[in-house]
Amino acid sequence: MGKLFKLIIWCAAAIVGVSIGLVAFHNNTMRGGPSANTAAARTVPAPVPVMTATAGTKNTPVIIRGLGAVTAYNTVGVKSRVEGNVVDVNFKEGQEVKAGDLLIQLDVRPFQATLDQADANLAKDQANLVNAQKDLVRYSDLLKRSFAPEQQVATQKATVAADEAIIAGDKAMIDAAKLNVEYASIRSPIDGITGIRQVDLGNLVQANSGTLVVVTQIKPIYVVFTIPETDIPRVRSAMSQGKLTVLAYDPADQKEIARGTLELVDNQVDQASGTVKLKAKFPNKDEALWPGQFLNAHLVVETVENGVTVSSAAVQTGPRGTFVYVVKPDNTVEMRPVTVTQTEDNVSLIGSGLDEGEQVVTVGQSRLTPGTAVAIANNNTGIAAVTPADPGGVATQ
């Protein structure tokens, strides 16, 4: 009986020991102990989810920006050259007029009367001249036959010369009177658009005293803008190759309004601002530009043929300058230094460091280092669709 009891006790102890061992082995395995799966022990880092773009090529204009204002091609404050009452206003405010079009008519009767008087004086003096010339012929004939003194002939010659001078004066008076008659009809000196009228029917206008209306020529029209003085050599060098294009953009710098050509670079730099003025000429046939309007000017100094372009989101700035992350065929990234010629409309023109067709990272650069494996997520769901399967697993899409 005693031996049976000891056997039972030993079997029970053996069973408990085996159970404890199995539990310990299971716990050790679950904690990744020495008996854990060796493949899991060698966990590979998950690829970093990114979005990419492919570098392309296109003819890209290189521009210099400037803030400017529209200036009228010609502006004339129309005044009267003579005094008179306004008898007719022959234009509407804001009307487009041509050079020579009648704008305002003054009372012409006083000037016409003066002209008529000058004509009458001329006729009288011409009659006196004819009579004096006949007397000179008669006296000269008598002098040849010694029937008239030489002094009388000389005096008659002087009379003829005086009458001729009087007639010349009469003709000048007639020309002046004709001018006054013409000046009574006030005409537009240029093609343009009339402004607000400054005189009304019946007003007495003084000569050269006040502006009656302003006529502004807007076809063509100028844009005057400024650029930094450091760009002057670049612009002058480009001008030597031919006419440069200037693009006029709205104040928000979003919409192109018109295109023109650069006319000149001002002959001095503003020392206070370190800028220089440039003037561009625009045809303005659609009247899109208006005098006094503020806008942004884009001066095209050159056009890069087949320039490498990429989304500006791909370009990063580091301690050593600008760079991009290029995705290699094995889906790892390379940090590539690049030079950026310009950035316009979220597109960067690459001067060097990148070739057409190379794939660059545009989203997700903050988690990258050279050699990092990436998972590309260029789909409609975006980069959020690429997430790691588990803390130690491989990212899935």
Side-chain angles (χ1 to χ4, degrees):
M1 188 68 181
K3 290 181 179 181
L4 181 60
F5 179 75
K6 289 180 179 182
L7 180 61
I8 293 173
I9 293 299
W10 183 84
C11 289
I15 292 171
V16 171
V18 171
S19 299
I20 292 175
L22 290 174
V23 171
F25 176 79
H26 176 73
N27 289 341
N28 191 40
T29 301
M30 293 298 294
R31 293 190 183 110
S35 299
N37 191 320
T38 56
R42 294 189 298 271
T43 302
V44 178
V48 175
V50 296
M51 296 184 73
T52 64
T54 302
T57 59
K58 67 176 181 177
N59 296 342
T60 307
V62 178
I63 69 170
I64 297 176
R65 293 175 180 268
L67 182 63
V70 182
T71 304
Y73 192 80
N74 284 308
T75 300
V76 179
V78 179
K79 297 182 179 181
S80 175
R81 297 185 180 184
V82 295
E83 179 181 325
N85 288 94
V86 177
V87 296
D88 186 26
V89 177
N90 201 45
F91 71 93
K92 294 181 179 180
E93 296 170 323
Q95 176 183 339
E96 187 170 337
V97 295
K98 300 293 184 181
D101 286 353
L102 179 64
L103 300 178
I104 297 172
Q105 179 65 57
L106 303 182
D107 188 357
V108 76
R109 292 175 297 174
F111 309 113
Q112 186 62 52
T114 302
L115 176 60
D116 294 341
Q117 184 179 8
D119 286 334
N121 289 335
L122 175 62
K124 180 189 70 172
D125 293 332
Q126 284 176 332
N128 291 336
L129 175 61
V130 170
N131 184 57
Q133 289 172 335
K134 289 181 178 179
D135 286 344
L136 177 60
V137 171
R138 186 167 53 252
Y139 293 151
S140 298
D141 184 58
L142 292 174
L143 177 62
K144 292 178 182 179
R145 292 181 290 167
S146 300
F147 291 128
E150 186 177 344
Q151 179 62 42
Q152 189 175 15
V153 174
T155 300
Q156 193 59 37
K157 287 182 178 180
T159 301
V160 171
D163 288 344
E164 289 175 342
I166 291 173
I167 289 175
D170 290 341
K171 290 181 178 179
M173 291 295 294
I174 290 174
D175 290 340
K178 286 181 177 178
L179 277 177
N180 287 337
V181 171
E182 183 180 342
Y183 289 158
S185 300
I186 302 173
R187 301 180 182 275
S188 176
I190 60 173
D191 295 347
I193 294 178
T194 59
I196 297 175
R197 188 178 66 191
Q198 303 296 327
V199 67
D200 295 318
L201 192 67
N203 289 163
L204 177 63
V205 175
Q206 301 294 328
N208 301 313
S209 61
T211 299
L212 308 180
V213 66
V214 175
V215 180
T216 302
Q217 184 176 357
I218 64 172
K219 299 177 184 179
I221 203 165
Y222 288 126
V223 170
V224 178
F225 60 100
T226 58
I227 63 171
E229 60 180 317
T230 53
D231 288 324
I232 294 177
R234 185 181 181 189
V235 173
R236 288 180 59 82
S237 175
M239 289 179 68
S240 66
Q241 305 299 318
K243 287 286 188 179
L244 301 184
T245 300
V246 179
L247 311 178
Y249 274 71
D250 62 4
D253 207 19
Q254 298 296 319
K255 180 183 178 182
E256 181 182 329
I257 303 175
R259 293 194 173 205
T261 55
L262 184 66
E263 290 287 300
L264 64 90
V265 178
D266 200 7
N267 57 5
Q268 61 181 356
V269 173
D270 185 347
Q271 294 183 346
S273 62
T275 59
V276 65
K277 291 181 179 179
L278 279 68
K279 178 184 280 190
K281 181 179 177 181
F282 291 76
N284 201 34
K285 293 180 179 179
D286 59 354
E287 300 181 4
L289 301 178
W290 207 253
Q293 176 183 2
F294 286 97
L295 47 75
N296 290 282
H298 295 186
L299 172 61
V300 181
V301 292
E302 66 173 308
T303 299
V304 179
E305 302 289 339
N306 296 319
V308 178
T309 58
V310 73
S311 170
S312 59
V315 180
Q316 304 293 300
T317 302
R320 298 183 180 180
T322 53
F323 65 92
V324 295
Y325 281 109
V326 178
V327 180
K328 297 192 294 185
D330 61 355
N331 278 352
T332 60
V333 294
E334 170 194 355
M335 190 170 71
R336 181 88 58 80
V338 295
T339 59
V340 179
T341 302
Q342 73 169 13
T343 298
E344 283 292 324
D345 297 328
N346 297 321
V347 175
S348 294
L349 174 63
I350 305 300
S352 63
L354 194 64
D355 294 325
E356 177 186 7
E358 291 191 291
Q359 202 171 26
V360 294
V361 177
T362 57
V363 178
Q365 296 98 321
S366 61
R367 298 176 59 187
L368 300 180
T369 57
T372 301
V374 294
I376 300 173
N378 294 342
N379 54 24
N380 293 331
T381 58
I383 195 169
V386 180
T387 55
D390 58 64
V394 179
T396 60
Q397 181 172 341

